[in-house]
Amino acid sequence: MVSSLTAGNGSRQQHVMLVPRLSLMMFLQFFIWGTWSVTLGLVMTQHNLGSIIGDAFSAGPIASILSPFVLGMVVDRFFPSQKVVALLHLAGAVILWFVPQALLAENGSLLIALLFAYTLCYMPTLALTNNIAFHSLSNSEKSFPVVRVFGTIGWIVAGICIGVSGIAASTDIFRLAAVFSAVLAAYSLTLPHTPAPAKGQPFALRDLLCADAFALLKKSHFLIFAICATLISIPLGTYYAFTASFLSDVGIADVSTAMSFGQMSEIFFMLIIPLLFRRLGVKYMLLIGMAGWFVRYALFAFGVNEETRWLLYIGILLHGVCYDFFFVIGFIYTDRIAGSQVKGQAQSLIVMFTYGIGMLLGSQISGALYNQLINHGGVHQPENWTTFWLIPAVAAAVIAVIFLFTFKYKEQE
């Protein structure tokens, strides 16, 4: 009786500590990313590598496209997710430690190669940490947003750390990221066991090609979601690549502080997801997120004048709606409809569509628009930003309308 009671207390204590353990995982996951990616372009400029900033930011999306074909199969067939996360972050720590050498040598080719190798390790862990959380949480719709919000907090804390320490424009950001990548590698081994659901089954070529995950596209609602998720990630790429330049051009003095309001809003909207999700369901939560992109870019387009500058801050604060309501709900929806045997592949597939194909198209298309409208002739005309932002605004509105009339998903599924 005593031993049974003790076991019950231990199980209850482990359950109580589950959310904090997973929250720390998310904090470290996004702290690492926020440490080096936000000011990467600035550091490259300091070492005469500004001309290849676009190529550097394309490394992550390309890695997101390639990684699911191997990692999804590895996780679903062979190894527990937490051990794969540990291995990838350890390898990532080693690669990050050598990035400063490429920058100091002003060796652009080596830098791009190292960044590609690192993102090939890092990007799969976005899906893997989701997989660990969804597997461990008994009520993911309620608990996952609480866990995921600590990723946003990690990103904000990373920005504060590199700013306060004065290393934002220094190669030391990669050393800091390497240290915490090694810390997360060690911590991952303490995370809840997330077994390979199809372990022991015979290997087939279809596993390498993620055929079972791609088979989910036979469901019409998931196909529509995948297409719209890819398309809506194009404006997302535009936001990450050019919002800082836009705010600076129209007269915002402290750009980094202004943009941090977007991450702060993520915290609020992430925490209210469980309250709204129960009432609105998957479709309308996703739709609100997509509509948020249209409203945000419209506000950017008409906020270029000094009299309407306040519109820009509202647009920035909408980041929580744009990101949380679409991407977080999208991960929850994917976990719902994926069979237990292919959850890892399915999460990797969504990362490929969004952070991979969508973001890659976004960086390329927005780069072409920027050169044509803003940087043409080397003279920046703030009023040209209106046209620049109206294009993704209209695109987001069209995508949202298509989604509204074509996405047919019943909650009971």
Side-chain angles (χ1 to χ4, degrees):
M1 179 70 177
V2 174
S3 60
S4 175
L5 183 61
T6 303
N9 289 337
S11 176
R12 191 178 302 113
Q13 184 179 10
Q14 185 178 18
H15 177 74
V16 170
M17 291 302 296
L18 179 61
V19 170
R21 290 167 65 199
L22 296 174
S23 298
L24 179 56
M25 171 191 73
M26 285 295 184
F27 178 91
L28 293 171
Q29 174 77 19
F30 285 87
F31 179 90
I32 294 165
W33 197 2
T35 297
W36 66 269
S37 66
V38 175
T39 58
L40 171 61
L42 178 59
V43 176
M44 292 176 66
T45 302
Q46 300 292 319
H47 295 86
N48 300 315
L49 295 173
S51 61
I52 59 170
I53 290 176
D55 295 330
F57 276 97
S58 294
I62 294 173
S64 297
I65 294 171
L66 297 177
S67 61
F69 295 103
V70 177
L71 267 299
M73 178 268 294
V74 167
V75 171
D76 286 333
R77 289 277 175 177
F78 300 108
F79 302 106
S81 293
Q82 77 277 7
K83 291 186 178 180
V84 178
V85 171
L87 178 62
L88 290 175
H89 276 296
L90 181 60
V94 174
I95 296 169
L96 284 171
W97 194 259
F98 290 100
V99 170
Q101 296 182 19
L103 283 162
L104 293 173
E106 299 183 3
N107 189 332
S109 298
L110 178 59
L111 175 64
I112 297 299
L114 289 172
L115 288 176
F116 177 71
Y118 173 70
T119 52
L120 203 57
C121 293
Y122 180 85
M123 298 311 286
T125 62
L126 294 172
L128 291 172
T129 49
N130 284 346
N131 195 41
I132 293 170
F134 284 125
H135 177 81
S136 305
L137 297 169
S138 58
N139 187 346
S140 59
E141 286 90 348
K142 180 180 179 180
S143 301
F144 180 73
V146 177
V147 170
R148 176 57 183 79
V149 76
F150 279 87
T152 300
I153 295 172
W155 183 284
I156 295 171
V157 171
I160 294 173
C161 285
I162 64 173
V164 171
S165 62
I167 64 171
S170 164
T171 58
D172 288 339
I173 59 175
F174 293 99
R175 305 283 193 198
L176 181 62
V179 170
F180 277 90
S181 189
V183 169
L184 181 51
Y187 180 67
S188 297
L189 297 176
T190 72
L191 292 171
H193 181 58
T194 308
K199 187 174 182 179
Q201 296 185 13
F203 171 76
L205 181 61
R206 64 183 291 107
D207 301 323
L208 184 60
L209 299 177
C210 293
D212 291 327
F214 277 104
L216 293 173
L217 297 174
K218 293 179 181 178
K219 298 181 179 182
S220 59
H221 55 82
F222 186 72
L223 175 62
I224 295 299
F225 168 71
I227 293 172
C228 291
T230 302
L231 294 176
I232 208 69
S233 296
I234 296 174
L236 176 64
T238 305
Y239 175 81
Y240 283 142
F242 291 105
T243 300
S245 298
F246 164 62
L247 295 177
S248 178
D249 273 6
V250 298
I252 301 297
D254 192 346
V255 172
S256 60
T257 299
M259 290 188 67
S260 70
F261 294 151
Q263 275 68 46
M264 293 176 187
S265 76
E266 271 193 57
I267 298 175
F268 171 75
F269 287 108
M270 196 88 70
L271 293 176
I272 67 171
I273 280 178
L275 302 177
L276 297 177
F277 189 81
R278 202 174 304 165
R279 294 170 174 80
L280 299 177
V282 169
K283 178 174 182 175
Y284 291 102
M285 289 289 283
L286 291 172
L287 184 63
I288 292 172
M290 299 173 76
W293 289 105
F294 162 70
V295 175
R296 153 183 272 185
Y297 290 142
L299 292 172
F300 279 8
F302 297 109
V304 296
N305 299 318
E306 195 168 335
E307 309 81 52
T308 57
R309 192 67 42 80
W310 57 275
L311 294 175
L312 301 182
Y313 291 96
I314 297 178
I316 293 170
L317 287 171
L318 280 174
H319 186 69
V321 175
C322 297
Y323 187 89
D324 296 347
F325 282 24
F326 191 84
F327 287 92
V328 175
I329 297 299
F331 285 127
I332 294 173
Y333 158 73
T334 301
D335 181 74
R336 267 188 178 186
I337 67 165
S340 60
Q341 303 296 308
V342 292
K343 286 186 181 290
Q345 290 185 27
Q347 292 292 340
S348 296
L349 199 64
I350 295 305
V351 169
M352 182 189 76
F353 285 137
T354 55
Y355 290 101
I357 298 172
M359 291 281 281
L360 181 60
L361 289 173
S363 62
Q364 296 297 316
I365 293 172
S366 61
L369 282 175
Y370 178 79
N371 289 331
Q372 181 68 31
L373 296 172
I374 311 299
N375 209 32
H376 184 67
V379 179
H380 290 205
Q381 299 293 334
E383 58 271 17
N384 290 344
W385 282 107
T386 298
T387 304
F388 179 89
W389 291 116
L390 280 177
I391 293 172
V394 171
V398 171
I399 296 166
V401 171
I402 292 173
F403 180 83
L404 173 63
F405 290 105
T406 59
F407 184 75
K408 309 292 184 182
Y409 171 71
K410 298 179 180 179
E411 292 295 323
Q412 57 266 35
E413 293 185 35

